[in-house]
Amino acid sequence: DAKTTQPTSMDCAEGRAANLPCNHSTISGNEYVYWYRQIHSQGPQYIIHGLKNNETNEMASLIITEDRKSSTLILPHATLRDTAVYYCNPSSGSARQLTFGSGTQLTVLP
Amino acid sequence: NAGVTQTPKFRVLKTGQSMTLLCAQDMNHEYMYWYRQDPGMGLRLIHYSVGEGTTAKGEVPDGYNVSRLKKQNFLLGLESAAPSQTSVYFCASRDWVGTEAFFGQGTRLTVV
C-alpha cells in the first residue's frame, strides 16, 4: 500500500467546509483512495472512496488530483459531531493487509 | 444486520492470565483483521485472515495468537497477558475485492 502524509491536526469552524488533505505520491494504478474517520473511542467508520474521478456521497466529497498523488476530503458543512481522527488509506483489491497511518485530528469549533 | 460484533466490550485481566476475544461478522466477508490502539495512537495491525482456515501476522503479532475456524468468526488469544497489552482492540472485516472495511466497536482490555 502507498505511504500517506496527513496533517497531524486541523481546526474548522462549525458550519464551514472542512478540507482535509492527504499526500499519497507512491500510490499505484490499482489503488483506490479510501477515507475513514474515528470518533473518540469508537470503531473507525468508512466515509468515501475513489479511484480517479471526484466522488460525492451524503457524508462528504473526495477530490483526487489528476496525477493521483494527493486527495482532499471535504466535509461541506462541518458540525461538532464531525470532530474525529480522519484516515486516508490507499488500498487495492489485491492487498491483503489493511494498515493505517496516523491520520488528522479534526476539531470542529463552535 | 449486526455487521461486526466484538465480545466482550470490557475486560480486566491479571498478569499471566489468558483470554480470547471474539469477532463475529454477518456479511460473509473474506478478510478479517485485529488491531490494537493505545491511548493517543493510531491503529496497529496485529493479525489478519484472508479466508476461513487462514491467518497471517501483521505489524505487532508478538504475544497474540489467532484462529479462523469459521468464516464468520475471528478469534484473538492472549496466552499470558502482560500490562503492555493493555489497549483497545478493534476487529474489522471487508470483502476480498477491496471494498470498504467495517469495524466493531472495540474491546477495552486492562491488564493489571
Side-chain angles (χ1 to χ4, degrees):
Chain A
D1 292 346
K3 298 295 183 184
T4 60
T5 303
Q6 296 180 256
T8 302
S9 63
M10 295 180 64
D11 292 340
C12 176
E14 188 177 18
R16 305 296 295 268
N19 296 278
L20 294 97
C22 179
N23 180 289
H24 36 77
S25 59
T26 61
I27 195 169
S28 61
N30 65 342
E31 285 185 306
Y32 286 76
V33 180
Y34 286 82
W35 282 82
Y36 295 84
R37 74 179 183 184
Q38 185 176 24
I39 296 171
H40 182 62
S41 297
Q42 298 181 17
Q45 172 193 25
Y46 163 81
I47 302 172
I48 197 168
H49 73 284
L51 183 63
K52 294 181 182 179
N53 301 320
N54 299 337
E55 302 287 344
T56 296
N57 62 20
E58 65 277 5
M59 292 181 67
S61 294
L62 175 60
I63 308 298
I64 303 173
T65 58
E66 191 169 346
D67 63 8
R68 301 207 331 117
K69 292 184 177 182
S70 65
S71 61
T72 300
L73 178 75
I74 301 172
L75 308 178
H77 305 286
T79 71
L80 299 179
R81 288 174 296 179
D82 292 321
T83 292
V85 177
Y86 288 78
Y87 297 99
C88 164
N89 183 261
S91 180
S92 70
S94 60
R96 296 185 166 200
Q97 293 200 27
L98 180 62
T99 58
F100 292 83
S102 301
T104 296
Q105 171 66 59
L106 174 70
T107 302
V108 180
L109 304 171
Chain B
N1 188 340
V4 179
T5 303
Q6 292 184 230
T7 308
K9 291 183 172 49
F10 302 93
R11 185 73 186 269
V12 178
L13 281 181
K14 293 183 178 179
T15 298
Q17 286 185 321
S18 63
M19 78 163 294
T20 300
L21 281 66
L22 170 63
C23 177
Q25 53 96 2
D26 60 4
M27 296 170 283
N28 202 36
H29 286 170
E30 291 291 339
Y31 290 3
M32 296 187 73
Y33 304 87
W34 274 109
Y35 300 88
R36 62 175 289 172
Q37 186 172 39
D38 299 330
M41 304 294 287
L43 297 160
R44 291 189 291 171
L45 180 64
I46 304 172
H47 285 283
Y48 64 98
S49 168
V50 298
E52 181 178 313
T54 76
T55 63
K57 294 180 180 180
E59 301 168 297
V60 289
D62 293 344
Y64 305 94
N65 57 75
V66 288
S67 64
R68 184 110 180 259
L69 300 179
K70 294 183 179 181
K71 186 176 183 179
Q72 64 268 32
N73 296 336
F74 195 28
L75 304 176
L76 178 71
L78 287 72
E79 291 186 349
S80 180
S84 60
Q85 294 178 304
T86 293
S87 191
V88 179
Y89 292 84
F90 289 101
C91 174
S93 72
R94 68 172 180 171
D95 201 355
W96 71 277
V97 294
T99 54
E100 69 267 27
F102 294 80
F103 285 81
Q105 286 306 297
T107 295
R108 187 173 299 274
L109 175 66
T110 301
V111 183
V112 298

